[in-house]
């Protein structure tokens, strides 16, 4: 089990699980109002962007987003596997 810290909550998940799935399951609100309806969790909209500190890797799809930078740890949570304990900062989305 690994720990995730987001919005002053701490919860556990299993290694390799989708970060988006864990955050939504633990009631972390990832999406702006209307985007709750149109997001599909397939890495195309950029609305599930979070800053991740800890063990995670940016996927090739994540690296194509305009918000990606080698100097920032911003990820699409739907494209992120949890590979160890992580600390999450959630954004308003794009
Ligand atoms: S839900 Fe759209 S990029 Fe993750």
């Amino acid at each position: 089990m690994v720990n995730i810290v987001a919005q002053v909550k701490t919860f556990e998940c299993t290694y390799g699980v989708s970060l988006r799935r864990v955050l939504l399951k633990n009631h972390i609100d990832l999406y702006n109002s209307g985007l709750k309806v149109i997001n599909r969790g397939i890495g195309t909209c950029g609305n599930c962007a979070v800053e991740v500190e800890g063990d995670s890797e940016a996927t090739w799809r994540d690296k194509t987003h305009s918000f990606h930078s080698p100097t920032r740890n911003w990820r699409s949570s739907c494209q992120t596997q949890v590979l160890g304990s992580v600390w999450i900062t959630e954004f308003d989305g794009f």
Side-chain angles (χ1 to χ4, degrees):
M1 299 296 272
V2 296
N3 290 322
I4 296 180
V5 179
Q7 294 180 349
V8 300
K9 298 178 185 173
T10 302
F11 35 88
E12 291 185 329
C13 68
T14 55
Y15 178 90
V17 72
S18 160
L19 179 59
R20 174 183 181 264
R21 194 168 291 179
V22 174
L23 294 175
L24 292 176
K25 180 180 174 188
N26 287 281
H27 310 288
I28 302 298
D29 193 12
L30 287 173
Y31 302 105
N32 297 333
S33 57
L35 298 170
K36 290 179 182 176
V37 178
I38 63 168
N39 81 80
R40 294 172 45 201
I42 57 173
T44 56
C45 69
N47 288 296
C48 65
V50 293
E51 182 174 7
V52 180
E53 295 177 53
D55 295 326
S56 75
E57 282 286 327
T59 64
W60 67 267
R61 186 173 293 194
D62 235 6
K63 291 176 181 174
T64 65
H65 279 290
S66 58
F67 59 78
H68 180 76
S69 162
T71 59
R72 294 185 297 211
N73 293 322
W74 294 6
R75 307 269 190 279
S76 299
S77 63
C78 68
Q79 298 299 304
T80 301
Q81 281 186 301
V82 180
L83 303 176
S85 294
V86 292
W87 292 259
I88 306 301
T89 302
E90 195 267 330
F91 300 109
D92 290 338
F94 293 90

